[in-house]
Amino acid sequence: MVSHSELRKLFCSADAVCFDVDSTVIREEGIDELAKFCGVEDAVSEMTRRAMGGAVPFKAALTERLALIQPSREQVQRLLAEHPPHLTPGIRELVSRLQERNVQVFLISGGFRSIVEHVASKLNIPASNVFANRLKFYFNGEYAGFDESQPTAESGGKGKVIKFLKEKFHFKKIVMIGDGATDMEACPPADVFIGFGGNVIRQQVKDNAEWYITDFVELLRELEE
C-alpha cells in the first residue's frame, strides 16, 4: 500500500493525467443517453450496469448494446445538438489547472469518439489526446457497427492505451481518474488510480481504490497547496 501523502505527491508530479469520460468528466453515460434518444433506454442501461460491474466482457456488452440501439449518424449529431453532455462540476477548472502546469491531459473512454471529441473541445483538449470507440456508418448514414480494432473496444483497453502513451511519449508518471472497474484495471500500467464517485458510486471501486474522491475540488486543492 502506498501512503496517502505519497499518492498526493505522485499526483502533483505527474506528467500526464488520463480521465475516463462517462460519469467522470461528464455526468451522464453516453451510451445510455444515446439509447434514450433512440428509444431503447431500459434494456441498454441494464446492460451498461452489468458491464460496469465487470460481469460481462466489455466488447460483448458494447456489441450487444449497439445492436439494440442501431444509432444512425444523424441521431448521433442530433443528440449532441439537442442534449449535449453536461460537464461534471470542477472538471473545467481542474483540466485547465493541469494544462497550466504543462501536464498532458488525455480522455480515454469506452464511449464514442464523436461524443468524446465534443467534450474534449469544451475542455481545450486536442482531438489527438482522445482515445475512444469509433462508430461506423454506411454511406446513407445508417449504423454499420464499430471499429473493433480500437484498444478501447476491449476489456483492459484503457491499460493498453496508457502503456502506448508511456512508450510513445516517455511519460514517467501517469495518473488515471475514473468511476468504473475498467479505469481501476488500468493501474498498472498507470502509476496512480484515483476513483471518482461524484456522479455515481460503484461499490467495487470505492472499496478497492487507494484514493477515492467525490469532488474534483479535492484534486484542485492538492494542486494549489
Side-chain angles (χ1 to χ4, degrees):
M1 283 287 283
V2 185
S3 76
H4 196 66
S5 66
E6 280 176 87
L7 285 172
R8 286 157 66 171
K9 267 195 210 116
L10 279 167
F11 170 66
C12 292
S13 62
D15 37 15
V17 175
C18 302
F19 289 92
D20 169 50
V21 178
D22 296 319
S23 299
T24 299
V25 168
I26 61 173
R27 307 205 68 151
E28 306 86 353
E29 282 289 324
I31 196 162
D32 290 351
E33 293 303 302
L34 193 53
K36 192 188 296 182
F37 196 72
C38 298
V40 288
E41 176 186 8
D42 294 346
V44 170
S45 54
E46 172 55 22
M47 285 182 193
T48 299
R49 207 180 53 72
R50 283 177 25 228
M52 287 309 296
V56 186
F58 188 80
K59 189 183 272 187
L62 188 59
T63 307
E64 220 178 311
R65 288 177 291 177
L66 282 169
L68 267 179
I69 303 171
Q70 296 275 321
S72 67
R73 181 185 275 129
E74 187 211 2
Q75 283 171 315
V76 175
Q77 287 165 347
R78 274 182 44 219
L79 172 72
L80 287 172
E82 295 170 26
H83 302 280
H86 298 92
L87 292 176
T88 300
I91 188 64
R92 201 189 288 272
E93 296 77 2
L94 178 57
V95 168
S96 94
R97 189 79 193 88
L98 288 165
Q99 289 168 332
E100 282 165 17
R101 294 165 68 104
N102 294 319
V103 175
Q104 283 288 325
V105 177
F106 295 88
L107 299 182
I108 307 180
S109 173
F112 308 120
R113 193 170 182 97
S114 38
I115 297 174
V116 178
E117 281 188 353
H118 176 87
V119 173
S121 70
K122 298 251 176 298
L123 297 169
N124 297 319
I125 294 170
S128 55
N129 285 22
V130 169
F131 293 84
N133 290 317
R134 286 176 191 275
L135 292 172
K136 296 200 291 202
F137 303 101
Y138 291 112
F139 67 92
N140 65 355
E142 282 177 13
Y143 174 67
F146 64 96
D147 179 355
E148 298 194 18
S149 69
Q150 295 293 320
T152 46
E154 302 267 3
S155 296
K158 291 178 181 177
K160 285 183 192 145
V161 172
I162 289 174
K163 187 169 178 286
F164 164 78
L165 292 175
K166 282 193 158 179
E167 286 165 4
K168 183 176 178 186
F169 298 107
H170 307 293
F171 292 130
K172 306 244 183 322
K173 290 183 199 130
I174 295 189
V175 175
M176 178 74 208
I177 300 173
D179 66 288
T182 59
D183 306 311
M184 190 161 63
E185 284 161 7
C187 178
D191 300 276
V192 179
F193 168 67
I194 302 172
F196 181 73
N199 293 311
V200 59
I201 289 178
R202 309 208 190 266
Q203 206 54 46
Q204 182 196 356
V205 177
K206 188 178 183 191
D207 294 346
N208 294 294
E210 291 183 353
W211 188 355
Y212 195 80
I213 62 167
T214 54
D215 195 322
F216 286 128
V217 167
E218 294 181 51
L219 297 182
L220 264 169
R221 264 195 225 115
E222 296 295 342
L223 297 174
E224 311 289 84
E225 280 173 17

